[in-house]
Amino acid sequence: MGPEALAQVLRPLRDLFKKKDLYFILNSEIPSWCMLDERGYTIFQHCTGENTLDDIYAKVQPVSHDQFLNIIRYLRKSLIISFDSPHFEGISVKMPALPFLTNIYFEITSRCNLNCIHCDVNAGKSRGKEVSLEKIKECIDYLVESKGVSIYLSGGEPLVRKGWDHLLEYALTKGLRTIVATNGTLINDNVADIFAQHKNKKLVVQISLDSTKKEVNDLIRGKDAFDRTIKGIEHLLDRGMGKNVRISFTANKYNVSDVKAMVDFCLEKKIGEIIFSKVYKQGRAAAVWDTIGLSLKEAITFQKFVFNTRKRLKGTLEVLEIEDKAAPAVGTKVRICNMGQEPRIDSCGNVYPCQLFDGEDAIIGNINNDSLQSIREGEPFYNIRKKICERIDTIFKCKSCIWKNICAAGCAATAHFVYGDYTALDPMCDFCTWWHEYLIVERINQVGLYHIHYC
């Protein structure tokens, strides 16, 4: 028996790639993919399982024998054809092993001195007794024992929590990259001096700033927030902490046109990092979604800018993105949700599968009652993961989608806070489809034809 095609989907991407005679071949079950020119595509068409290699070679003249064998080897290594079994089943996106713990998003308080219109956790007033510093330190110890690399100390506004500086020192002493996510308005000389003591350690002071224009930022974050945040940034820069500062920018309809100016601001101030995210229909944003939510066109324009800016400024400014969906199409792995790898813990000690999950039905435990390890390994979390990982078998749109084993129905947390159902389809499905295709084209432009791409 000769080589047989495993790819179940064949679709030309000429409209995306802007060049003639290039074909995108996808084995959606692995998943893996390749891009072929006319010569490779002709060879692929004859891999029916009935033709021997000699038969195929005779049908695709003129092609040198070495070129022919190289293409066959490429198709086989790409898992696009097989010599072994006519019933290759691939790797189904089912229940993955519990991922290693790499990071914790810890909301050390729900209190906040601002009232941002897009706050996804409805920060403001206290929600009850805050989890003790000792319990937080226990989680830090477990993170270190698990060979984790980082922790976010956030809120609310973490600087209103008594003892935040002790937690910062404790995490840094343990060797963790420690990100303090603050609105910056409370960074005075005293607070800046505390941060400056650790500027040569793995400290990141992440400061939320949503526009370079005072009127726009204050529309989003409240009166005089801009001036107070800028002053906080300046206090850190005056102490030589530019490399420790990260600006956090949440794109919405009010500020998405200001994204380039924000990058220029970071470059001008010699700030080390900027992190982008798109506003979610969650928390306070849900009530004003029609006003601030991005359209598909706006989201795509924003994503292109972030992607290209990251490439352009590599080595000059670190450009990050919270909901980076680049992994599926750049040839690294199947995009199985990383739930459990970076859990969220709120100020009351409730544990959620990831940073984006919220709501009582998404709580998998509480660190006041159980250890974080037992919560991650426990039945409630297992049941949520199982339902989410199997949802592509129940969502109608996913069943016929060529990307189903790459995106695995998208972000379950996004579906949860929009539809109240974490087994539903990601409401950003159309965006994700565009993003997969865009990244594949970028990958081909980067490495050219005949490179192996396992998703």
Side-chain angles (χ1 to χ4, degrees):
M1 179 178 290
E4 181 176 10
L6 300 175
Q8 297 178 358
V9 178
L10 171 63
R11 190 163 69 90
L13 277 185
R14 292 172 179 164
D15 57 328
L16 295 173
F17 204 55
K18 307 294 184 186
K19 292 183 179 180
K20 293 182 179 180
D21 302 327
L22 289 175
Y23 293 86
F24 173 61
I25 314 297
L26 173 69
N27 181 347
S28 62
E29 295 302 317
I30 296 298
S32 62
W33 57 273
C34 70
M35 190 76 79
L36 300 176
D37 54 17
E38 195 71 42
R39 177 184 54 187
Y41 174 56
T42 300
I43 292 173
F44 169 77
Q45 283 184 303
H46 290 293
C47 294
T48 63
E50 298 177 355
N51 294 317
T52 65
L53 287 179
D54 288 340
D55 293 336
I56 297 173
Y57 181 60
K59 294 177 180 181
V60 296
Q61 296 297 328
V63 176
S64 75
H65 196 258
D66 285 344
Q67 287 177 329
F68 170 74
L69 291 180
N70 284 337
I71 292 173
I72 290 292
R73 292 189 190 103
Y74 164 69
L75 290 173
R76 187 179 187 182
K77 288 181 179 179
S78 299
L79 304 180
I80 298 299
I81 64 172
S82 173
F83 288 86
D84 304 316
S85 171
H87 303 295
F88 186 83
E89 296 179 354
I91 303 173
S92 180
V93 180
K94 296 294 184 184
M95 189 64 174
L98 183 68
F100 292 109
L101 181 66
T102 61
N103 175 70
I104 297 175
Y105 290 95
F106 214 123
E107 297 164 12
I108 63 174
T109 183
S110 63
R111 291 172 288 148
C112 188
N113 61 320
L114 297 184
N115 190 42
C116 303
I117 63 173
H118 61 335
C119 181
D120 58 350
V121 295
N122 279 315
K125 297 181 180 180
S126 174
R127 293 181 187 162
K129 185 178 180 180
E130 294 175 337
V131 65
S132 70
L133 299 184
E134 290 306 313
K135 285 293 182 182
I136 298 174
K137 289 179 180 179
E138 286 178 12
C139 290
I140 291 174
D141 291 341
Y142 171 56
L143 177 62
V144 173
E145 292 168 5
S146 303
K147 303 189 185 304
V149 296
S150 61
I151 185 170
Y152 276 74
L153 302 178
S154 66
E157 170 49 54
L159 301 187
V160 307
R161 172 72 191 262
K162 185 178 180 179
W164 69 267
D165 50 334
H166 297 300
L167 291 175
L168 170 64
E169 184 174 9
Y170 189 80
L172 288 171
T173 301
K174 293 287 186 174
L176 294 173
R177 189 175 197 224
T178 306
I179 302 96
V180 180
T182 170
N183 59 46
T185 62
L186 300 180
I187 301 178
N188 53 28
D189 281 319
N190 290 334
V191 171
D193 285 342
I194 293 173
F195 281 132
Q197 294 173 13
H198 306 292
K199 69 179 182 179
N200 294 321
K201 300 175 185 177
K202 297 177 182 179
L203 168 65
V204 176
V205 185
Q206 178 175 302
I207 300 177
S208 298
L209 185 63
D210 284 331
S211 180
T212 57
K213 301 171 184 174
K214 173 181 170 62
E215 63 275 16
V216 176
N217 187 80
D218 288 359
L219 179 64
I220 299 168
R221 296 192 160 268
K223 184 179 179 181
D224 297 329
F226 180 81
D227 291 338
R228 294 157 66 194
T229 299
I230 292 296
K231 186 174 292 187
I233 294 172
E234 293 295 344
H235 280 310
L236 298 177
L237 297 182
D238 289 344
R239 288 161 175 77
M241 294 188 65
K243 68 180 179 60
N244 302 98
V245 175
R246 173 195 290 170
I247 296 299
S248 175
F249 181 98
T250 302
N252 60 68
K253 199 174 288 291
Y254 288 143
N255 68 357
V256 69
S257 61
D258 198 30
V259 59
K260 181 180 182 301
M262 187 59 72
V263 171
D264 293 339
F265 170 84
C266 292
L267 292 171
E268 177 187 348
K269 298 292 185 180
K270 294 182 171 55
I271 287 171
E273 300 179 2
I274 184 168
I275 187 165
F276 291 104
S277 64
K278 292 180 280 292
V279 65
Y280 287 103
K281 191 177 180 180
Q282 184 175 6
R284 286 197 283 269
V288 291
W289 187 251
D290 291 342
T291 304
I292 68 172
L294 295 176
S295 67
L296 178 61
K297 182 178 180 181
E298 288 169 331
I300 287 175
T301 300
F302 169 75
Q303 194 76 26
K304 285 182 178 179
F305 176 83
V306 173
F307 181 80
N308 291 316
T309 300
R310 177 188 296 165
K311 292 194 300 181
R312 178 171 61 87
L313 296 180
K314 185 177 181 180
T316 303
L317 173 67
E318 187 73 20
V319 179
L320 309 169
E321 187 185 3
I322 290 178
E323 66 275 30
D324 188 351
K325 296 182 178 180
V330 297
T332 54
K333 59 182 179 180
V334 180
R335 186 182 185 273
I336 299 175
C337 182
N338 66 351
M339 291 176 296
Q341 184 175 342
E342 301 184 359
R344 170 197 169 207
I345 306 177
D346 70 18
S347 61
C348 297
N350 295 313
V351 182
Y352 303 83
C354 77
Q355 177 195 11
L356 297 177
F357 266 104
D358 196 19
E360 290 188 9
D361 59 335
I363 295 173
I364 58 174
N366 189 295
I367 60 169
N368 290 308
N369 305 321
D370 299 290
S371 70
L372 182 56
Q373 178 177 359
S374 65
I375 292 171
R376 291 183 70 241
E377 297 174 354
E379 186 175 352
F381 186 34
Y382 176 88
N383 291 337
I384 288 180
R385 292 173 63 236
K386 189 172 189 295
K387 290 178 181 178
I388 289 174
C389 290
E390 293 179 349
R391 63 193 172 129
I392 60 170
D393 296 326
T394 60
I395 297 173
F396 179 78
K397 188 174 181 179
C398 293
K399 290 181 179 180
S400 59
C401 180
I402 64 172
W403 305 113
K404 67 177 182 179
N405 283 337
I406 297 178
C407 82
C411 178
T414 308
H416 180 249
F417 57 67
V418 172
Y419 304 125
D421 180 5
Y422 49 71
T423 66
L425 178 66
D426 188 338
M428 296 176 65
C429 175
D430 291 341
F431 172 84
C432 294
T433 298
W434 164 82
W435 189 220
H436 296 326
E437 295 178 349
Y438 182 81
L439 284 168
I440 283 175
V441 171
E442 287 294 323
R443 179 68 172 172
I444 294 299
N445 282 328
Q446 177 185 353
V447 302
L449 295 170
Y450 300 112
H451 281 72
I452 297 173
H453 309 284
Y454 303 120
C455 299

